[in-house]
Amino acid sequence: MRKYWVIQRKSFSYLIDKKTTFAIIVLALIALFSMMVSIGVGELYIPPFGVFTALIGSGLEMNQLIITEFRLPRVLVAFIAGASLALSGAILQGVIRNPLASPDMIGITGGAGFAAVAFLTMFSDDSNNLLLSINYLPLFAFVGATSVAFLIYGLAWKDGVTPIRLILIGIGLMALFQALTTLMMLMGPIYRASQATVWLTGTVYGTSWKEVKAMLPWFLGMLPILIFLVRRLNIQGFGDDLTTGAGISVHRERFMLLMVCTALAGSAVAFAGAMGFVGLIGPHIARRITGSSFGGLFPASALIGGIMVVLADLAGRTLFSPLEVPAGVFTAAIGAPYFIYLLFKNQ
């Protein structure tokens, strides 16, 4: 029997699941530990205490330089990207009511990837320097992801939008934008094609505080909207008729949630590439831990997604050193077998 804390005021009441709260705290501690380990491990190993002292502004000057200027921004981008993709997947699985839904499976990350590759190709000079600020990259990726979301929503509309039409049309658009991305890479310079290939696999190599500052507002800006919509998404799980009977506009809510989904996925793809399967696996693992209520599922998914990408990036930096393998290779290596398992389980 599940136990709850009850927060009650005149205008509202709220139940907090004790088991879910404990699980989220444990996941947060695991995430913090994973980030500390990732920050310390590299060509120069820095023990956890050294990492801690550097983060608070004391300790060896060399350690502070390595951690604050090189490793910490990379780990933060990896965590935010993983959290964004996992949240995006959790939203889609709730909206579409399909456990196999994720931003990469229905083409949203494909649209973001195409727009980002187009940005890198069209606004680079012969010296490989960007003619526009990198801060415009998430905007381009968001426009690409949003365009795909509009296409999916528009093509799926037939006296309303049903979950099955959304996912089938999304799969078709995913293939289309993958082809367009390949075409864009072939039309551009050879060095840009090779760079885009590595980036589309999913990597946080070479990130700095500039990327963190550009990416963080997109992530933090979506959280209040999710908090506002979470109860309504829970109701949508009972079907369209019951949701409409509760006084909620189903199609308007779906549209708003799809926009949040595209913003999260677009910002993640802009700076970390199209990391496969994070948006699929993160919510599934979280659902096994916290249950299906989105109040606990969202924070758990975000933490698990962040942990996955941080550990994948750590593995890519260390397992085959001095060769650096994109983190997306490891997320795909774990995600593909898990996806096959889900297909068999849901037959």
Side-chain angles (χ1 to χ4, degrees), residues 33-44:
F33 177 76
S34 301
M35 294 172 73
M36 293 285 285
V37 170
S38 184
I39 290 170
V41 174
E43 292 185 8
L44 175 64

Side-chain angles (χ1 to χ4, degrees), residues 227-242:
I227 293 171
F228 175 73
L229 294 174
V230 64
R231 285 191 175 185
R232 301 182 183 188
L233 187 55
N234 281 326
I235 296 175
Q236 286 193 35
F238 294 102
D240 291 359
D241 293 338
L242 184 59

Side-chain angles (χ1 to χ4, degrees), residues 50 114 181 289:
F114 169 72
T181 302
I289 296 172

Side-chain angles (χ1 to χ4, degrees), residues 38 69-83 85 195 197-209 211-212 215 267-275 278 305-306 308-317 324-331:
S38 184
E69 294 300 323
F70 299 105
R71 294 184 184 174
L72 183 57
R74 177 171 182 159
V75 170
L76 288 175
V77 168
F79 182 83
I80 296 170
L85 289 171
Q195 183 187 42
T197 300
V198 174
W199 177 78
L200 285 171
T201 304
T203 181
V204 289
Y205 176 77
T207 52
S208 64
W209 285 109
E211 283 80 12
V212 176
M215 188 178 188
S267 63
V269 172
F271 293 110
M275 300 236 181
V278 177
M308 284 179 59
V309 177
V310 167
L311 294 180
D313 179 57
L314 175 62
R317 287 192 289 117
E324 184 158 326
V325 180
V329 172
F330 292 93
T331 61

Side-chain angles (χ1 to χ4, degrees), residues 77-145:
V77 168
F79 182 83
I80 296 170
S84 297
L85 289 171
L87 277 174
S88 182
I91 294 169
L92 279 178
Q93 289 173 16
V95 170
I96 298 177
R97 299 200 298 274
N98 189 312
L100 303 180
S102 66
D104 47 336
M105 292 295 172
I106 70 167
I108 289 177
T109 57
F114 169 72
V117 169
F119 173 84
L120 293 172
T121 301
M122 293 187 299
F123 297 105
S124 294
D125 59 21
D126 294 335
S127 301
N128 201 24
N129 297 317
L130 282 175
L131 301 175
L132 289 180
S133 170
I134 192 67
N135 292 326
Y136 287 102
L137 184 57
L139 178 61
F140 271 73
F142 172 68
V143 169

Side-chain angles (χ1 to χ4, degrees), residues 225-298:
I225 302 175
L226 282 181
I227 293 171
F228 175 73
L229 294 174
V230 64
R231 285 191 175 185
R232 301 182 183 188
L233 187 55
N234 281 326
I235 296 175
Q236 286 193 35
F238 294 102
D240 291 359
D241 293 338
L242 184 59
T243 305
T244 303
I248 296 174
S249 174
V250 177
H251 303 302
R252 184 187 65 189
E253 297 291 327
R254 281 184 183 153
F255 181 77
M256 291 174 63
L257 287 164
L258 279 174
M259 291 301 100
V260 175
C261 172
T262 57
L264 290 168
S267 63
V269 172
F271 293 110
M275 300 236 181
F277 297 101
V278 177
L280 175 69
I281 298 176
H284 271 278
I285 298 174
R287 196 172 285 109
R288 290 177 177 272
I289 296 172
T290 66
S292 58
S293 175
F294 286 94
L297 182 64
F298 279 158

